Amino acid sequence: MTVTLNRGFILWAVGVLQPVASGELLYYMEHVFENAGALPSENDLHSYLVEAANVGQLIRIMREPDLFSLTIQGNSYLSRSQRMSRDRERIFLLADAWNGRKLTSREEQTTESGGVSPPLLQRTTLEGTGANECGPSVPRGRTHWPRYSKQLTKTTGSSSSSRDTFINFLSFNDATQVNLARRASGRAIQPDAVNLALMIGLTPRLISQIIVRPDRHYRSFPIKKRTGGAREIHAPRVFLKTIQRFIVDYIFHVLPQHDAVHSFRNDRSILSNAQCHVGKQWVAGIDVENFFGSITERHINSHLSSIGLDAPSARTLAKLATLNGVLPQGAPTSPILSNSVLYNFDELMSAEAEKQSLVYTRYADDITISGSSIDCIRSLIACATLLLNDMYGLVINDKKTRVLSRRSRQVVTGVVVNDVALPPRDLRRRMRAASYNATKVEGVNVEALNMLRGYLGYFQEFPDLVDNKEFTDFRKNLGNIRARF
């Protein structure tokens, strides 16, 4: 029986799932649209997708299996209501796909490429000025989002070994395909609004609407600070959050971050930051006031332009990453931008610290300087104050500036560093007491148990706590609680 295919419906479904194979598309149509009536065979559907690719509405991004993604022309074929519906469906599926993202290793990517050296846009090892150039690239050893259309099979769950997991630009495999989808062959790929929309698989109009009215895509609420008062959090809603997560994983992951910075990085922590200052005669800490709220759209735009993005792309990304002209605390893009925008400051401070035999590190807004000369440390604090203000308009909170000798308790990002890096003793004792008290109470308070588990994981990061009595008692008590749970 001949089945008449609705072109708009097929293109809509491809746009939701892209990149997608004909079998996955058919499975989706069978199970999501149960009243769709007679459906084509997989072979007929595949032939239809090839035909749509031949007229420019789709691109076949991979063979065996053949995977297809929507082009600008295909997107324009959809009605306005279809485009809005497609964006909504895809965003929610992408939000789920992000939860299954995978950090691929060098070995896995080498296997995927058959041992062939990756193309330039996929390399992380760049030399000279190229090391500071930013653009949509997929280097070895980076985060990928799985194809959630892999879930549309009878064996659910994406395979960690499947090459389907590693689509370079989420919807397309390389820059040439992105250009073809835009009908702009020959131009260098830049993450402007149109290319962003193509790679994520959304309508360019949606990106533009968010840029014009970002306030509609945030919810704001206060959270209490440990030191008193409240901090205002601006959390993006699902549409913008998904777009920002894509930008972080596929574009901002190549932003330069100085080696002295330990915040918001997979291989760094408050412990690695503190360990740099263990056993120093003097340890100084300074705090940047209103850190995220003082990094502006202008700072971000200028920084992105300086490392290789064209003006439209830098402007687009800066708009998508800011609220009311500044970095919002709560957006996925804010941490890495706060690290990278201050790269030149970190470079100058590190060089000056090395000249004076001092150690400089930064963890977000917490700057730490240590060494044997208090005069040199005070001089570097004055230097930091001037540089931050001159370069970025940032201000030091003088009330939080401290310079501590070894005769006092030296604390760096919550870690005591006088002799070895350890959590504060009063914290260790409180957790031991809390765990002991919990063993004496009938039943288990799940919230309290989760809190204790969190501190156990934190304490286990400290190698010098292995034989500490407070820690061993705490771990034993928690084991007893778990046994009753």
Side-chain angles (χ1 to χ4, degrees), residues 279-353:
K280 303 297 184 182
Q281 184 64 37
W282 297 94
V283 175
I286 57 179
D287 181 84
V288 182
E289 206 168 74
N290 187 27
F291 181 58
F292 284 106
S294 298
I295 299 176
T296 66
E297 181 184 321
R298 179 178 59 82
H299 291 139
I300 297 164
N301 198 333
S302 175
H303 180 63
L304 295 177
S305 296
S306 72
I307 55 180
L309 293 189
D310 62 14
S313 300
R315 184 167 56 250
T316 294
L317 295 177
K319 290 282 188 184
L320 289 170
T322 54
L323 175 65
N324 299 324
V326 299
L327 280 185
Q329 190 160 355
T333 41
S334 294
I336 191 170
L337 281 172
S338 71
N339 280 357
S340 191
V341 167
L342 268 67
Y343 183 91
N344 290 337
F345 166 76
D346 295 323
E347 177 71 10
L348 291 170
M349 287 294 294
S350 294
E352 190 61 31

Side-chain angles (χ1 to χ4, degrees), residues 67 119 144 155 201 263 295 399 405 414 420 430 439 448 471-472 484:
L67 300 180
H144 286 80
T155 55
S263 48
I295 299 176
K399 294 179 181 179
S405 74
V420 294
R430 285 204 315 272
T439 64
F471 174 64
T472 54
R484 293 164 38 203

Side-chain angles (χ1 to χ4, degrees), residues 227-285:
T227 54
R231 176 181 289 109
E232 192 74 10
I233 299 298
H234 304 284
R237 299 183 187 277
V238 64
F239 275 40
L240 178 55
K241 180 186 286 187
T242 303
I243 293 168
Q244 289 176 337
R245 284 172 167 172
F246 172 86
I247 291 170
V248 169
D249 284 345
Y250 286 82
I251 299 173
F252 283 174
H253 66 282
V254 296
L255 287 175
Q257 299 179 73
H258 200 275
D259 195 53
V261 176
H262 292 255
S263 48
F264 318 123
R265 301 176 73 169
N266 289 334
D267 56 343
R268 307 290 179 88
S269 66
I270 60 172
L271 176 57
S272 68
N273 182 63
Q275 286 172 331
C276 297
H277 304 281
V278 169
K280 303 297 184 182
Q281 184 64 37
W282 297 94
V283 175

Side-chain angles (χ1 to χ4, degrees), residues 419-451:
D419 298 305
V420 294
L422 289 173
R425 181 178 296 173
D426 57 340
L427 174 62
R428 303 196 308 262
R429 288 178 173 174
R430 285 204 315 272
M431 291 304 104
R432 180 180 64 175
S435 64
Y436 176 78
N437 291 336
T439 64
K440 303 301 180 182
V441 177
E442 289 188 13
V444 176
N445 183 316
V446 175
E447 185 177 342
L449 178 59
N450 289 336
M451 181 268 290

